[in-house]
Amino acid sequence: MKISVIGAGYVGLTTAACLAQIGHEVFCSESDLDKLTKLQGGGMPIFEPHLEEVIKAVRKAERLRFGSTDEAIAWGDAIFICVGTPPLPNGDADLHAIEAVARSIAKRASGYRLIIEKSTVPVQTGAQLRKHLSVHSTNGLRYDVASNPEFLREGTSVEDFLHPDRIVIGVDSPRAADMLREIYEPITKQEFVCPIHSDCPKRKAPIFLATDTNSAELIKHASNSFLAMKISFINMVANLCEVVGADVTKVAEGMGLDPRIGAAFLNPGIGFGGFCFPKDVQAFIRIAEKSGCDFSLLKEVEKINQRRVEHFVEQVRNELWVLRGKKIAVWGLAFKPNTDDVRFAPSIALVKSLVDEGANVRAYDPEAMGKAKSVLPNITYCSNPYEAAEGADALLIVTEWDEFRNVDWERLRSTVERPLILDGRNALNAAEAASHGFHYFSVGRPPVLPGQAGSAAIGASAFVGADIRKESF
Ligand code: UGA
């Protein structure tokens, strides 16, 4: 099918590349001219595992082209709208980019088009789009509007697109449902060349769920808000564990063994970030407010998350006493591993707070330093983790990159001034840290002193392969 994707952000670019990978002829547009020029020249505006290889291959096969919005509108029988919906100061999603695209489609397109909203939007945006298209249509456009929320995670977006658990569509006509079924057929039937796994195993087919448009739109916001709620919940349990001397890793494992709860998204830390959860929780709160529903539960989810960085800085202060003039190494700036994205990353608030108190921050991140430099200009960026740790009074783990888990302990010990680690992601092995003379603090677990095999040390060693349940007896 001829498909257009409007907006080459991380959702649009992944969607365009993967739809071309499964056999469609795709035209992807981008309004930012620098970004467009980069893409047309074979460059990548974002770091996302596998995406560059897929784009290279499908461009070579002439199934993906990049260009302007007008060209995209002229090209596709199906048009995916993947433009940004950033938060407004009051928490509402800013829909001006979607409105502008809808107006261009109404003015320029003729014949039949399936217009699909893939950007995360408030419920009833589909209804607004339909109204708007009919008001502005001048070329005899016939259309359906559908919702097709994405559930891609940054860092694994290509994998998530090609091997999803579910594909949700919100439609109000059989024609729209049939077209979307056809678009996703190679994925639902698993009949495509997988660019990730050379010997891709046959898996359980994803569930294809068709609903009305309002329900599909709500599924997206409700899913992200629910996952955010799980994270804030376990973060509060972590606080409780710190006070009563329990181990949150074991509590989370014990909870997660109940299939009604599930083990995923029960990792405590310094809070959720990124361009999705913080803005989607805010937007969902606003949607509920405007609909007269008291969803104050989500306000607590947000508050708990906002307090995570403060709580972490408080722990740093407890150890270092005065931060002014202290050398603090920060490992990780991206909001999570395998991405260079620092939007709404906890690292930003954390580093700003340390710098405001006069600390001398030396940071390292394998991918995100380029993007961090514009938001955090007053710190020293280092070319590897050990350079960041040189002479440090404390080392803070902010993003759980594998590179940090595989730390060379001897080298690290001889690099820092004071052997003190505050691990905001429970990423390092506590037993290793202690055996190399570090004082190790993590989230929701008792601190471990140099040479000590405390509860966090046991928990961390159990993490590495052993059956943690046996440790509990
Ligand atoms: C999230 C959802 O997981 C995707 O399904 C959704 O499509 C996407 O938002 C979106 O709306 O576009 P993403 O923001 O890429 O994906 O990242 P996640 O892996 O969900 O992590 C979000 C944040 O939660 C990160 O800061 C991560 O460190 C934090 N997190 C996650 C925790 O603190 N604990 C956990 O147990 C899991």
Side-chain angles (χ1 to χ4, degrees):
M1 193 181 296
K2 280 167 69 176
I3 296 176
S4 294
V5 175
I6 298 184
Y10 115 92
V11 173
L13 206 50
T14 306
T15 302
C18 292
L19 288 174
Q21 174 71 25
I22 64 173
H24 299 295
E25 291 176 73
V26 183
F27 192 99
C28 179
S29 72
E30 173 53 53
S31 56
D32 176 332
L33 288 183
D34 287 344
K35 211 165 161 188
L36 178 60
T37 311
K38 197 170 201 177
L39 286 164
Q40 286 173 325
M44 285 292 288
I46 52 168
F47 167 76
E48 182 63 33
H50 305 293
L51 192 54
E52 191 169 359
E53 301 93 273
V54 174
I55 290 179
K56 216 174 253 171
V58 291
R59 287 189 81 198
K60 199 167 165 211
E62 295 184 356
R63 288 204 303 277
L64 175 63
R65 285 181 299 140
F66 294 104
S68 68
T69 307
D70 285 357
E71 288 173 290
I73 291 170
W75 172 260
D77 298 319
I79 303 176
F80 282 85
I81 303 180
C82 299
V83 295
T85 52
L88 289 168
N90 68 0
D92 278 344
D94 181 351
L95 300 178
H96 91 271
I98 295 208
E99 195 253 19
V101 169
R103 198 162 348 153
S104 296
I105 295 174
K107 293 230 152 73
R108 295 191 167 78
S110 55
Y112 175 86
R113 302 302 164 92
L114 173 62
I115 297 152
I116 306 149
E117 37 164 61
K118 204 161 185 57
S119 309
T120 302
V121 290
V123 62
Q124 294 181 333
T125 299
Q128 287 291 353
L129 271 174
R130 283 184 195 107
K131 187 167 142 197
H132 206 72
L133 286 161
S134 81
V135 168
H136 292 287
S137 156
T138 47
N139 273 335
L141 171 70
R142 287 173 294 113
Y143 60 87
D144 278 307
V145 171
S147 162
N148 172 216
E150 55 83 19
F151 304 107
L152 314 176
R153 290 161 299 172
E154 290 189 34
T156 52
S157 70
V158 174
E159 166 112 36
D160 291 345
F161 193 99
L162 296 171
H163 300 296
D165 310 312
R166 71 229 205 256
I167 294 167
V168 173
I169 63 162
V171 283
D172 69 346
S173 85
R175 183 174 188 174
D178 287 347
M179 279 178 79
L180 277 158
R181 233 179 229 111
E182 188 187 328
I183 289 171
Y184 284 110
E185 198 170 71
I187 292 178
T188 51
K189 292 196 169 160
Q190 297 184 57
E191 287 168 350
F192 62 90
V193 178
C194 177
I196 304 172
H197 316 101
S198 52
D199 193 13
C200 192
K202 195 93 178 155
R203 300 152 197 248
K204 205 167 138 240
I207 310 261
F208 192 87
L209 178 67
T211 71
D212 58 282
T213 319
N214 286 342
S215 302
E217 289 166 343
L218 273 181
I219 286 170
K220 169 68 190 193
H221 265 133
S223 299
N224 273 6
S225 299
F226 189 85
L227 291 171
M229 181 181 74
K230 267 188 110 174
I231 299 169
S232 279
F233 186 92
I234 202 65
N235 280 335
M236 282 311 295
V237 175
N239 281 2
L240 193 54
C241 286
E242 281 166 18
V243 178
V244 301
D247 181 339
V248 71
T249 312
K250 291 179 182 174
V251 177
E253 174 156 22
M255 289 168 62
L257 288 170
D258 182 335
R260 293 170 303 174
I261 297 174
F265 278 70
L266 287 180
N267 298 317
I270 56 166
F272 57 77
F275 202 57
C276 302
F277 284 178
K279 88 172 163 61
D280 288 355
V281 170
Q282 260 185 33
F284 208 36
I285 291 170
R286 288 286 296 158
I287 291 163
E289 258 169 19
K290 286 200 266 185
S291 314
C293 297
D294 179 7
F295 213 151
S296 44
L297 170 69
L298 286 181
K299 290 189 184 161
E300 282 306 313
V301 168
E302 205 183 18
K303 268 194 222 154
I304 291 166
N305 197 54
Q306 283 160 358
R307 288 199 297 258
R308 293 312 289 164
V309 167
E310 273 167 49
H311 180 72
F312 193 59
V313 173
E314 195 51 46
Q315 286 176 324
V316 179
R317 262 190 230 113
N318 282 344
E319 281 312 300
L320 294 184
W321 188 21
V322 173
L323 299 190
R324 194 181 179 83
K326 295 277 161 58
K327 260 192 195 174
I328 299 184
V330 168
W331 281 8
L333 295 165
F335 81 97
K336 65 172 193 176
N338 301 319
T339 175
D340 61 353
D341 199 344
V342 295
R343 289 174 298 174
F344 300 98
S347 64
I348 307 292
L350 169 68
V351 169
K352 279 186 175 161
S353 178
L354 299 174
V355 169
D356 283 352
E357 291 195 37
N360 169 5
V361 174
R362 297 169 62 81
Y364 169 75
D365 186 288
E367 295 292 340
M369 292 196 288
K371 289 194 171 152
K373 279 177 185 162
S374 55
V375 258
L376 296 172
N378 299 324
I379 61 172
T380 307
Y381 290 91
C382 301
S383 55
N384 64 62
Y386 306 97
E387 191 185 319
E390 256 167 40
D393 294 293
L395 164 60
L396 314 187
I397 313 295
V398 180
T399 315
E400 65 277 34
W401 286 93
D402 279 346
E403 186 175 346
F404 306 152
R405 294 186 201 276
N406 300 324
V407 56
D408 175 342
W409 285 105
E410 297 287 343
R411 185 171 172 198
L412 183 62
R413 178 65 191 87
S414 61
T415 304
V416 296
E417 170 69 24
R418 178 176 165 192
L420 169 66
I421 296 175
L422 291 107
D423 185 348
R425 296 289 182 186
N426 292 0
L428 302 191
N429 186 312
E432 286 273 14
S435 72
H436 286 88
F438 282 87
H439 194 161
Y440 176 80
F441 288 84
S442 54
V443 180
R445 300 184 298 182
V448 181
L449 296 170
Q452 181 196 2
S455 159
I458 293 168
S461 58
F463 240 158
V464 190
D467 183 347
I468 197 169
R469 275 163 290 182
K470 287 188 196 124
E471 299 273 352
S472 310
F473 292 107

